[in-house]
């Protein structure tokens, strides 16, 4: 049986190709948004994530939908901490505010 060996130079080349595609097709913002959406429970906490989910991130505003009006009120009070959590998770200050609405 042969073993699969991946050289560091091959990994570096693959990484460069992926980075080139991300840059060429302007996928960076979409990938960042996907990270927030996929990791919402980790960012906001499981209790909050049970009743809410991010809808979009655009122009520094994270739009979050909640299932009940009392959660909309709670998230508005939690906004400074949620903004900090998202920015810490992303490693950059992309979110300046959160807009919350109740899904119907």
């Amino acid at each position: 049986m042969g073993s699969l060996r991946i050289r560091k130079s091959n990994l570096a080349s693959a990484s460069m190709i992926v980075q080139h595609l991300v840059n060429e097709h302007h996928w960076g913002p979409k990938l960042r948004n996907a990270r927030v959406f996929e990791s919402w429970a980790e960012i906001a906490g499981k209790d909050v994530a049970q009743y809410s989910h991010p809808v979009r991130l655009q122009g520094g505003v994270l739009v979050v939908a909640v299932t009940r009006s009392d959660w909309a009120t709670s998230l508005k009070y939690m906004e400074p901490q949620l903004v900090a959590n998202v920015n810490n998770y992303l490693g950059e200050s992309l979110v300046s505010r959160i807009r919350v609405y109740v899904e119907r």
Side-chain angles (χ1 to χ4, degrees), residues 15-75:
S15 176
M16 287 174 52
I17 291 168
V18 169
Q19 188 60 49
H20 174 74
L21 288 170
V22 168
N23 292 339
E24 183 177 309
H25 295 284
H26 308 286
W27 292 337
K30 290 180 182 178
L31 292 173
R32 278 193 302 271
N33 293 0
R35 287 183 59 210
V36 172
F37 297 171
E38 289 177 12
S39 303
W40 183 244
E42 183 180 340
I43 293 168
K46 289 181 182 181
D47 291 337
V48 171
Q50 184 176 355
Y51 298 99
S52 68
H53 65 274
V55 176
R56 80 178 155 274
L57 172 55
Q58 186 175 8
V61 179
L62 177 62
V63 178
V64 177
V66 295
T67 57
R68 299 184 342 215
S69 60
D70 56 333
W71 275 101
T73 302
S74 294
L75 262 62

